[in-house]
Amino acid sequence: MDKNIQLDAQIKKIIELVQQLRKIDSDEFKDHLEQVRNSSDIQIIPYLVELLAEEKIVEEKKKAILELVMDIKHPEAAKLLTQGVKYLRGTAELQPYLAALWQNSLSFADDLELYVELVLTTDYLTAYDAFTIIENSAGDARPKAIASAIGTLTKGLDTQDESKKPMVMELIKVLKEFESL
C-alpha cells in the first residue's frame, strides 16, 4: 500500500514539473532538463514526448528535449523512448525524434519490427533514421526478430518507390549479415 502512495506522489510530482515546464522560458526550461538529465529519472520521458508534440511549444524547448533524448543512457529508457515513437507517429516531430534516438546509442532490438515498419511506411528521411536505429540495434536482436524483419522488408520491397528501394534492399542485406552471425 505504501508503495502505491509513493508511486502516486512521484507521478504527481512529474506532472507538476511538466506543467511548470510548459510555462517557463527557454533558458529556465534547459536548466530543468539538465536536472532531469542528472537525476536519471526516466519516468518523465513520456511527458517530455507529449511536450515535443505540442504545437505551441517553442523550437528552443523542442531542441532541448531532443538533446536530452540523445543523452539518455539508462538501459530501461529504450522502452519508454519507443513509446514516444508510437506517440509521435504521423507528426512532423517523428523524424527529429528518430534522429535523436539513433544518436543516443541505446539498443532498440526488442522493438525491431516497429522500426522496420517505419522504414516501409514513412518518407525517405524518416525511413533513413529508422534504418540507422535498426542497424545499430540488430546486433542485440534475437534471431527470430531478425528473420521476421527480413521477411517483412522482403514483402514490403515491391511497394516502395524507386528512391527507397535501394535503402530497403541494403537493410535486408545488413540484417542477413547479422542473421548469419
Side-chain angles (χ1 to χ4, degrees):
M1 190 74 140
D2 289 344
K3 199 168 197 152
N4 287 341
I5 293 171
Q6 196 175 27
L7 190 58
D8 288 344
Q10 191 177 21
I11 291 171
K12 184 178 178 184
K13 183 179 175 184
I14 290 171
I15 291 171
E16 287 172 358
L17 173 63
V18 172
Q19 289 172 341
Q20 184 181 4
L21 290 174
R22 281 188 176 98
K23 298 174 187 172
I24 60 178
D25 68 34
S26 295
D27 289 334
E28 204 174 339
F29 184 87
K30 289 177 187 176
D31 290 341
H32 277 288
L33 287 190
E34 193 60 38
Q35 291 172 7
V36 169
R37 180 181 322 224
N38 294 330
S39 76
S40 75
D41 182 9
I42 62 171
Q43 300 309 314
I44 196 169
I45 292 171
Y47 300 99
L48 292 176
V49 171
E50 284 182 29
L51 281 178
L52 190 61
E54 288 182 13
E55 290 180 20
K56 52 190 164 186
I57 297 295
V58 296
E59 288 302 313
E60 288 179 30
K61 288 183 179 182
K62 288 182 179 188
K63 183 179 177 196
I65 292 170
L66 292 173
E67 287 173 358
L68 177 67
V69 168
M70 281 186 247
D71 291 341
I72 295 172
K73 301 300 182 213
H74 195 289
E76 293 174 23
K79 275 286 183 214
L80 292 171
L81 292 167
T82 294
Q83 289 174 5
V85 171
K86 295 172 185 175
Y87 185 82
L88 293 172
R89 193 167 196 169
T91 71
E93 302 308 322
L94 178 61
Q95 186 277 319
Y97 185 75
L98 289 175
L101 290 185
W102 70 256
Q103 292 179 61
N104 83 3
S105 73
L106 286 174
S107 176
F108 297 93
D110 290 343
D111 296 295
L112 210 57
E113 199 64 36
L114 170 66
Y115 296 100
V116 165
E117 186 182 328
L118 290 173
V119 168
L120 295 173
T121 61
T122 59
D123 64 89
Y124 187 88
L125 188 55
T126 307
Y128 180 78
D129 289 322
F131 174 107
T132 307
I133 291 168
I134 295 165
E135 186 177 40
N136 292 344
S137 301
D140 298 326
R142 295 179 320 276
K144 267 187 177 177
I146 292 175
S148 176
I150 292 169
T152 301
L153 289 165
T154 303
K155 288 177 192 169
L157 184 61
D158 291 337
T159 64
Q160 300 304 300
D161 62 44
E162 292 306 311
S163 67
K164 279 180 48 182
K165 274 187 182 183
M167 181 192 324
V168 174
M169 289 188 301
E170 180 63 23
L171 185 53
I172 292 168
K173 180 181 167 191
V174 166
L175 289 173
K176 283 185 177 183
E177 289 174 11
F178 280 106
E179 187 179 43
S180 65
L181 294 178

